[in-house]
Amino acid sequence: MSCGEPHETDCSEVLDHLYEFLDREMPDSDCTKFEVHFGECSPCLEKYGLEQAVKKLVKRCCGHDDVPTDLRAKVMGRIDLIRSGEPVPDHDVAEVPGRD
């Protein structure tokens, strides 16, 4: 996704690291670059707003549950695979008993 306008920080970079921005898992200097980009680019600002709303909804509905460390590691590993473009294996997807 790109708005077609030139920006100091490219739309693809912003969207690739959107969750890091939302979670404040990036250096302040990068956060500042993203904030400047959102001020210039309404499609990215819209995407940011949507993802922020989803994050707030999930926190409100599920924010009190502790996530097991091994589950977090598996999810983060899966995210890294997806970001790298590698195929994601189906065999390590945990089946939830009683769900069809």
Side-chain angles (χ1 to χ4, degrees), residues 8 13 15 18 60 64 66 73 88 100:
E8 184 174 328
E13 179 184 349
L15 297 176
L18 186 57
R60 188 179 78 217
H64 303 291
D66 291 329
V88 179
D100 294 319

PDB file of all heavy atoms in Angstrom, residues 8 13 15 18 60 64 66 73 88 100:
ATOM      1  N   GLU A   8       9.583  11.062   3.405  1.00  0.00           N
ATOM      2  CA  GLU A   8      10.909  10.742   3.936  1.00  0.00           C
ATOM      3  C   GLU A   8      10.948   9.274   4.384  1.00  0.00           C
ATOM      4  O   GLU A   8      11.917   8.573   4.170  1.00  0.00           O
ATOM      5  CB  GLU A   8      11.248  11.658   5.104  1.00  0.00           C
ATOM      6  CG  GLU A   8      12.652  11.444   5.634  1.00  0.00           C
ATOM      7  CD  GLU A   8      13.025  12.448   6.701  1.00  0.00           C
ATOM      8  OE1 GLU A   8      12.556  13.603   6.647  1.00  0.00           O
ATOM      9  OE2 GLU A   8      13.796  12.060   7.592  1.00  0.00           O
ATOM     10  N   GLU A  13       7.545   0.843   4.692  1.00  0.00           N
ATOM     11  CA  GLU A  13       8.301   0.720   5.939  1.00  0.00           C
ATOM     12  C   GLU A  13       7.384   0.970   7.135  1.00  0.00           C
ATOM     13  O   GLU A  13       7.430   0.247   8.130  1.00  0.00           O
ATOM     14  CB  GLU A  13       9.466   1.710   5.968  1.00  0.00           C
ATOM     15  CG  GLU A  13      10.270   1.635   7.255  1.00  0.00           C
ATOM     16  CD  GLU A  13      11.384   2.665   7.360  1.00  0.00           C
ATOM     17  OE1 GLU A  13      11.693   3.335   6.344  1.00  0.00           O
ATOM     18  OE2 GLU A  13      11.926   2.804   8.453  1.00  0.00           O
ATOM     19  N   LEU A  15       4.106   0.570   7.300  1.00  0.00           N
ATOM     20  CA  LEU A  15       3.140  -0.515   7.459  1.00  0.00           C
ATOM     21  C   LEU A  15       3.807  -1.807   7.907  1.00  0.00           C
ATOM     22  O   LEU A  15       3.215  -2.587   8.662  1.00  0.00           O
ATOM     23  CB  LEU A  15       2.358  -0.717   6.165  1.00  0.00           C
ATOM     24  CG  LEU A  15       1.515   0.500   5.770  1.00  0.00           C
ATOM     25  CD1 LEU A  15       0.835   0.273   4.436  1.00  0.00           C
ATOM     26  CD2 LEU A  15       0.501   0.858   6.849  1.00  0.00           C
ATOM     27  N   LEU A  18       4.258  -1.304  11.727  1.00  0.00           N
ATOM     28  CA  LEU A  18       3.144  -0.638  12.402  1.00  0.00           C
ATOM     29  C   LEU A  18       2.915  -1.172  13.811  1.00  0.00           C
ATOM     30  O   LEU A  18       2.696  -0.409  14.750  1.00  0.00           O
ATOM     31  CB  LEU A  18       1.870  -0.760  11.567  1.00  0.00           C
ATOM     32  CG  LEU A  18       0.650  -0.011  12.061  1.00  0.00           C
ATOM     33  CD1 LEU A  18       0.944   1.475  12.217  1.00  0.00           C
ATOM     34  CD2 LEU A  18      -0.512  -0.218  11.105  1.00  0.00           C
ATOM     35  N   ARG A  60      -9.309  -4.707  25.749  1.00  0.00           N
ATOM     36  CA  ARG A  60     -10.489  -4.595  26.599  1.00  0.00           C
ATOM     37  C   ARG A  60     -11.139  -5.961  26.824  1.00  0.00           C
ATOM     38  O   ARG A  60     -11.554  -6.301  27.923  1.00  0.00           O
ATOM     39  CB  ARG A  60     -11.500  -3.635  25.986  1.00  0.00           C
ATOM     40  CG  ARG A  60     -12.663  -3.328  26.933  1.00  0.00           C
ATOM     41  CD  ARG A  60     -13.648  -2.361  26.344  1.00  0.00           C
ATOM     42  NE  ARG A  60     -14.481  -3.087  25.404  1.00  0.00           N
ATOM     43  CZ  ARG A  60     -14.923  -2.604  24.257  1.00  0.00           C
ATOM     44  NH1 ARG A  60     -14.617  -1.389  23.901  1.00  0.00           N
ATOM     45  NH2 ARG A  60     -15.678  -3.320  23.467  1.00  0.00           N
ATOM     46  N   HIS A  64      -6.873  -9.171  30.356  1.00  0.00           N
ATOM     47  CA  HIS A  64      -6.596  -9.631  31.707  1.00  0.00           C
ATOM     48  C   HIS A  64      -6.025 -11.040  31.738  1.00  0.00           C
ATOM     49  O   HIS A  64      -5.682 -11.541  32.794  1.00  0.00           O
ATOM     50  CB  HIS A  64      -7.864  -9.561  32.561  1.00  0.00           C
ATOM     51  CG  HIS A  64      -8.440  -8.178  32.593  1.00  0.00           C
ATOM     52  ND1 HIS A  64      -7.827  -7.131  33.239  1.00  0.00           N
ATOM     53  CD2 HIS A  64      -9.544  -7.664  32.021  1.00  0.00           C
ATOM     54  CE1 HIS A  64      -8.541  -6.037  33.083  1.00  0.00           C
ATOM     55  NE2 HIS A  64      -9.590  -6.327  32.349  1.00  0.00           N
ATOM     56  N   ASP A  66      -3.213 -13.816  31.160  1.00  0.00           N
ATOM     57  CA  ASP A  66      -1.769 -13.942  31.017  1.00  0.00           C
ATOM     58  C   ASP A  66      -1.475 -14.887  29.860  1.00  0.00           C
ATOM     59  O   ASP A  66      -2.111 -15.935  29.728  1.00  0.00           O
ATOM     60  CB  ASP A  66      -1.133 -14.485  32.297  1.00  0.00           C
ATOM     61  CG  ASP A  66      -1.183 -13.490  33.440  1.00  0.00           C
ATOM     62  OD1 ASP A  66      -1.136 -12.273  33.148  1.00  0.00           O
ATOM     63  OD2 ASP A  66      -1.267 -13.908  34.600  1.00  0.00           O
ATOM     64  N   ALA A  73       6.316 -17.091  22.444  1.00  0.00           N
ATOM     65  CA  ALA A  73       7.490 -17.411  21.620  1.00  0.00           C
ATOM     66  C   ALA A  73       7.070 -18.003  20.278  1.00  0.00           C
ATOM     67  O   ALA A  73       7.635 -17.663  19.232  1.00  0.00           O
ATOM     68  CB  ALA A  73       8.417 -18.364  22.364  1.00  0.00           C
ATOM     69  N   VAL A  88       5.182 -20.856   6.047  1.00  0.00           N
ATOM     70  CA  VAL A  88       4.838 -21.149   7.433  1.00  0.00           C
ATOM     71  C   VAL A  88       4.296 -22.572   7.492  1.00  0.00           C
ATOM     72  O   VAL A  88       3.291 -22.886   6.844  1.00  0.00           O
ATOM     73  CB  VAL A  88       3.785 -20.143   7.961  1.00  0.00           C
ATOM     74  CG1 VAL A  88       3.403 -20.465   9.385  1.00  0.00           C
ATOM     75  CG2 VAL A  88       4.305 -18.725   7.840  1.00  0.00           C
ATOM     76  N   ASP A 100     -14.319 -27.517  16.390  1.00  0.00           N
ATOM     77  CA  ASP A 100     -14.370 -28.064  15.023  1.00  0.00           C
ATOM     78  C   ASP A 100     -14.450 -26.978  14.018  1.00  0.00           C
ATOM     79  O   ASP A 100     -14.948 -25.951  14.192  1.00  0.00           O
ATOM     80  CB  ASP A 100     -15.587 -28.984  14.865  1.00  0.00           C
ATOM     81  CG  ASP A 100     -15.443 -30.238  15.756  1.00  0.00           C
ATOM     82  OD1 ASP A 100     -14.322 -30.775  15.819  1.00  0.00           O
ATOM     83  OD2 ASP A 100     -16.446 -30.642  16.354  1.00  0.00           O
TER      84      ASP A 100
END
